[in-house]
């Protein structure tokens, strides 16, 4: 049976003392639902795993259900395979090698997005911060970091992301997930 390497992005866990998910428990949970080569990265909701069944959406739903059963709270999950993660890095419209990792972020979306969704945002008013869309992803350049970014604040508004799961990672994490999903 062939297996594919995936990354699971869990949104909003281990932030500010709520939705605590110990990474060792997450690894055990994922192994328990049949995934192999399970590894976690940092404490902020990234896990990589091998699966021989399902697609990204069904694997995300399966993991979200398992987390809710085990930990007692719901968590949004996005699952993406290695090829997709690598394509996101390769398609970066900003000069990643010239920037600090804290200046460049990727927001992964659960479905495709188009420019119309972001039409109400006055891009010129936020310069030098800027964003560009990719395949189910948004690249954000925030020279002073995400925590100080007014554009990031606008992009995270519920009305902008309505109907989507959206979760953001810094460039170091984006690149590391490609490395971790290269092989089982």
């Amino acid at each position: 049976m062939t297996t594919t390497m995936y990354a699971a992005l869990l949104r909003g866990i281990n932030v500010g003392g709520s939705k605590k998910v110990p990474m060792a428990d997450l690894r055990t949970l994922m192994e328990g639902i049949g995934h192999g080569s399970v590894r976690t990265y940092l404490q902020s909701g990234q896990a990589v795993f091998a699966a021989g069944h399902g697609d990204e959406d069904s694997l995300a739903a399966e993991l979200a259900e398992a987390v809710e059963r085990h930990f007692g709270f719901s968590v949004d999950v996005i699952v993406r395979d290695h090829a997709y993660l690598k394509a996101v890095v390769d398609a970066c419209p900003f000069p990643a090698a010239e920037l600090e990792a804290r200046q460049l972020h990727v927001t992964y979306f659960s479905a495709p997005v188009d420019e119309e969704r972001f039409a109400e945002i006055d891009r010129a008013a936020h310069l030098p911060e800027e964003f560009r869309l990719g395949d189910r992803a948004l690249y954000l350049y925030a020279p002073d970091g995400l925590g100080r970014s007014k554009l990031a604040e606008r992009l995270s508004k519920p009305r902008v992301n309505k109907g989507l799961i959206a979760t953001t990672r810094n460039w170091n994490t984006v690149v590391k997930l490609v490395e971790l999903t290269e092989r089982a």
Side-chain angles (χ1 to χ4, degrees):
M1 172 174 72
T2 57
T3 62
T4 301
M5 288 299 296
Y6 294 94
L9 307 171
L10 287 75
R11 185 176 174 277
I13 65 165
N14 300 336
V15 178
S18 65
K19 294 191 176 185
K20 288 286 192 190
V21 177
M23 294 297 98
D25 292 355
L26 180 60
R27 287 189 298 272
T28 300
L29 177 70
M30 292 178 73
E31 289 165 354
I33 59 174
H35 300 315
S37 302
V38 178
R39 290 172 284 171
T40 53
Y41 178 65
L42 302 175
Q43 298 296 313
S44 53
Q46 290 82 223
V48 298
F49 63 97
H53 68 281
D55 57 28
E56 293 172 339
D57 291 341
S58 67
L59 291 167
E62 176 186 57
L63 181 54
E65 290 169 17
V67 167
E68 186 164 11
R69 272 194 318 274
H70 185 81
F71 295 102
F73 50 79
S74 66
V75 172
D76 289 332
V77 178
I78 292 176
V79 170
R80 296 290 179 253
D81 68 18
H82 170 76
Y84 170 84
L85 296 168
K86 183 165 181 357
V88 165
V89 168
D90 292 345
C92 182
F94 297 106
E98 300 170 20
L99 302 174
E100 296 175 44
R102 69 178 188 82
Q103 296 177 312
L104 185 57
H105 295 80
V106 173
T107 299
Y108 296 96
F109 295 109
S110 56
V113 295
D114 59 22
E115 291 288 343
E116 186 177 314
R117 182 178 284 271
F118 305 95
E120 72 178 43
I121 297 174
D122 181 357
R123 293 182 185 213
H126 291 90
L127 290 172
E129 296 182 30
E130 56 181 309
F131 72 91
R132 309 257 175 80
L133 297 181
D135 174 19
R136 295 175 293 163
L138 178 145
Y139 300 86
L140 172 65
Y141 170 63
D144 295 325
L146 197 62
R148 296 181 174 192
S149 172
K150 297 295 183 194
L151 182 55
E153 190 178 312
R154 285 294 310 265
L155 292 168
S156 67
K157 296 284 186 197
R159 71 177 169 273
V160 173
N161 294 309
K162 186 175 182 173
L164 294 171
I165 296 171
T167 188
T168 302
R169 300 298 189 268
N170 72 31
W171 193 250
N172 281 344
T173 299
V174 170
V175 171
K176 187 65 173 180
L177 290 174
V178 172
E179 293 171 18
L180 291 173
T181 57
E182 274 187 301
R183 60 193 165 283

